[in-house]
Amino acid sequence: MEAILILLFVIGYLSITLEHPLKLDKTVPALMMAALMWALLAIGFHNGWFSVVDGHGSVFNINSGDIHQQEHGFEGLLLHHVGKVAEILIFLIGAMTIVELIDLHRGFDVLKGMVKTRSKIRLLWITGIIGFILSAVIDNLTATIVLISLLRKLVHDREERIWYASLVVIAANAGGAWSPIGDVTTTMLWIAKKVTAGGLSEYIIIPAILCFVVPYALASRMKVFKGEIMIDEKSHEERERLLSSKTMLWLGLGAIVFVPVFKTLTHLPPYVGMMLSLAVVWLVSEYIHPEDNFDKSRKHLYSANKALSRIEISSILFFLGILMAVAALESLVFGSINGQEVGTLRYAAESISNAIPNMDVVVILLGILSAVIDNVPLVAASMGMYTYEMDHSIWHFIAYSAGTGGSMLIIGSAAGVAAMGMEKIDFIWYLKKITWLAFAGFIVGAMAFLFIEHYIR
């Protein structure tokens, strides 16, 4: 029976990985996989076919002790996992809504004024630096979308623009890796209390900078970035902005950055701070006037309700499905370690450790694997596999590797998939032209992380 449950996960995982060939939104197999796995887990538990284990190591079996107590334990286990997943989803919904509110008020158009150079190399570095910083404040996916939209107004030759867009993916993924709000995986680790905001930044900032700088330094020597481009000055006209653009941009970004500060001050979960930040931005958006002679009949165009309607709910549901599926695997007792029954993921971690004793090698392989397989389930699985204390270097290394490793393939990260869709970047073109740059940055950053960890700290 355990084998059937694991097989369900494998089939669902493969369906997610092959979403493009199958032409099937990955949300569908994620939700189906989660529902079927928990259904099978419940049926098996209530028939006494197998046991389940919670995060504290307490094992529940319907054939052991009081039946009602064991059933209550199973229900509590399910509610515990739903609660933990809900924390992440509420946080993401809040962040996405703030970002959409900024976009509705054309706040990101303010960034266009920062880019007025005609030099190709200077444009490369300016967009890269903006992408690196912006992705740490909002997230790597949104930062990529904003910058590619900007590049479309600046670089009219598509063959040149896809080079810039591809390198923005590398910069955005590197920038998101050192911030608890820069990538879904770092947010997951932060909310699960595997890392702190300060610890994550301290450990990963230097490797992340190298992961960004090395590919850009190598690319700067390429012929495609020599010379100048023609800038259309009309793209900088103030008429493209609204009266509320600057206010909403800085308020929105400040509200998101405030969340880690709120958590540090109150010790409450991050989603509570995000609720407060969203409420403040929403409040301001209700009373601010985006245009001269603002007519109330146009208020709905800039409202939070409009922003909520633009959120990718499919992404939220995908996270729900994949995280609950991983939780089912984590809960299923598969074997024992030193006489203690453990879940499937914990047992798998022990098997991997026996096969590859060096955890640094395991994490580097995880980073490379994240270019092929979605990094969200990989990190979710690692959280269930290992029991290191908060801010252990392994958690930081996992955050770095999973966050930046996806840059090696255009389909390896959400930022890459967004760039691929917006600019129709060919998979093989990216593999030939960009993959080696991304790998160079990834491996240099990884080596820097290990050097700092083993020889400096």
Side-chain angles (χ1 to χ4, degrees), residues 142-209:
T142 307
T144 300
I145 293 172
V146 168
L147 282 168
I148 291 178
S149 299
L150 173 60
L151 285 168
R152 283 179 170 177
K153 297 179 180 295
L154 302 176
V155 184
H156 300 288
D157 185 340
R158 180 187 169 277
E159 296 303 316
E160 290 184 349
R161 192 169 64 244
I162 60 175
W163 279 92
Y164 287 97
S166 299
L167 283 158
V168 161
V169 171
I170 296 176
N173 284 337
W178 64 274
S179 165
I181 52 180
D183 187 273
V184 174
T185 54
T186 56
T187 299
M188 288 164 53
L189 290 165
W190 182 43
I191 291 177
K193 298 181 179 180
K194 303 299 184 183
V195 299
T196 60
L200 189 70
S201 302
E202 178 187 352
Y203 274 76
I204 300 181
I205 182 65
I206 293 177
I209 290 173

Side-chain angles (χ1 to χ4, degrees), residues 264-405:
T264 302
L265 294 174
T266 64
H267 303 287
L268 288 169
Y271 71 90
V272 181
M274 186 57 76
M275 288 166 60
L276 175 61
S277 292
L278 174 60
V280 171
V281 177
W282 192 328
L283 177 66
V284 173
S285 73
E286 289 289 309
Y287 294 101
I288 199 168
H289 283 198
E291 305 164 338
D292 288 318
N293 303 317
F294 183 57
D295 189 344
K296 288 184 178 180
S297 64
R298 292 176 55 79
K299 184 177 180 179
H300 69 281
L301 297 175
Y302 308 103
S303 69
N305 289 323
K306 176 76 170 179
L308 284 166
S309 70
R310 294 172 49 166
I311 289 177
E312 288 190 35
I313 296 298
S314 63
S315 296
I316 298 295
L317 292 175
F318 166 72
F319 296 137
L320 170 64
I322 195 66
L323 293 175
M324 286 304 294
V326 170
L329 271 188
E330 183 182 344
S331 303
L332 172 66
V333 170
F334 190 79
S336 61
I337 298 175
N338 298 324
Q340 180 182 1
E341 290 184 300
V342 296
T344 306
L345 296 179
R346 182 74 183 86
Y347 190 83
E350 189 70 17
S351 301
I352 293 172
S353 297
N354 291 332
I356 309 175
N358 191 318
M359 271 301 297
D360 294 335
V361 175
V362 172
V363 177
I364 289 175
L365 291 175
L366 183 147
I368 295 172
L369 191 61
S370 71
V372 181
I373 300 175
D374 196 289
N375 59 359
V376 171
L378 281 179
V379 173
S382 70
M383 288 163 54
M385 291 167 70
Y386 303 111
T387 56
Y388 298 104
E389 68 273 12
M390 182 187 290
D391 268 341
H392 190 283
S393 62
I394 289 298
W395 293 125
H396 297 120
F397 200 20
I398 287 174
Y400 168 81
S401 295
T404 61

